Amino acid sequence: EQVLAKIIGDVAYPALSEIVRERPDGLKSAYYRFHLVIASFTFFCAGILMVSGGELIGLLYDKRYEQAGWMLEILAVALLTIPFRVALLTFMALGKARLHAEIIAIRVLALFVLAPAGFHLFGLHGAVWGIAVSYFSVLPMIIFQKIRHGLFDLGKELLAPIALLAGLFLAKAVILAVG
């Protein structure tokens, strides 16, 4: 997550900022070039981790860390939100810093509500799911703002889940092949 956030911040943000300044009519196209590359890679990796987190932890660590496997599988779901960080930086490039701050505030609020509520209702599994779900709390606002700013294309949004399916199937095939 942090590596992708660094790439998004160091590569996508300056490029999108330049496009906003010099050729704003090309912003949507440039946005989706970044979005699709990041989404495809992230969704593929998320698919692999959602299926094989337990096996991966078992391969790398001894039995003491067995619990981390299911946690990794759940938290991998949150990786599906990383491509939407490109939208956040696009809003910043458009001079909408306040919007970026509001979206971050929603995420933090959701985290502080969902993790304890999940723990109270379902124990550790619920807390981990609360953390993962909190990442998705901002998606309705991001999608609304993308539509509002002319940055939403449903057809292009639906391309990345193909990479998720590829990751899921690849991980499952490797697990079945290895035994």
Side-chain angles (χ1 to χ4, degrees):
E1 177 183 357
Q2 291 179 357
V3 170
L4 287 169
K6 179 85 169 137
I7 291 169
I8 293 167
D10 290 353
V11 177
Y13 180 64
L16 291 168
S17 295
E18 180 180 332
I19 290 166
V20 166
R21 284 190 310 273
E22 296 180 10
R23 24 182 227 291
D25 56 319
L27 181 60
K28 185 175 182 178
S29 173
Y31 167 78
Y32 273 107
R33 278 195 303 272
F34 284 111
H35 178 83
L36 287 174
V37 169
I38 291 165
S40 297
F41 177 75
T42 306
F43 279 35
F44 181 74
C45 292
I48 290 171
L49 291 174
M50 283 190 268
V51 171
S52 67
E55 286 79 5
L56 184 61
I57 295 297
L59 180 68
L60 296 173
Y61 301 101
D62 63 41
K63 284 280 192 200
R64 293 176 294 166
Y65 299 96
E66 187 174 39
Q67 292 277 327
W70 64 263
M71 291 179 194
L72 178 59
E73 290 173 356
I74 293 170
L75 293 174
V77 173
L79 293 175
L80 300 176
T81 65
I82 287 178
F84 291 93
R85 291 185 188 180
V86 178
L88 292 178
L89 292 178
T90 304
F91 299 148
M92 291 285 289
L94 289 168
K96 307 290 181 189
R98 181 180 172 141
L99 177 58
H100 185 261
E102 290 170 359
I103 290 170
I104 297 300
I106 291 169
R107 161 77 169 86
V108 169
L109 179 64
L111 177 63
F112 280 104
V113 170
L114 294 173
F119 184 79
H120 178 73
L121 295 171
F122 304 105
L124 186 56
H125 278 83
V128 173
W129 271 109
I131 292 167
V133 170
S134 73
Y135 281 81
F136 291 87
S137 64
V138 298
L139 294 188
M141 185 168 187
I142 291 173
I143 292 168
F144 172 76
Q145 292 298 331
K146 283 174 60 172
I147 292 168
R148 185 171 172 223
H149 291 93
L151 295 171
F152 187 79
D153 184 330
L154 182 60
K156 291 182 180 175
E157 294 286 339
L158 295 176
L159 291 175
I162 295 168
L164 173 64
L165 293 174
L168 291 168
F169 287 124
L170 176 65
K172 193 63 173 172
V174 169
I175 290 169
L176 291 174
V178 172

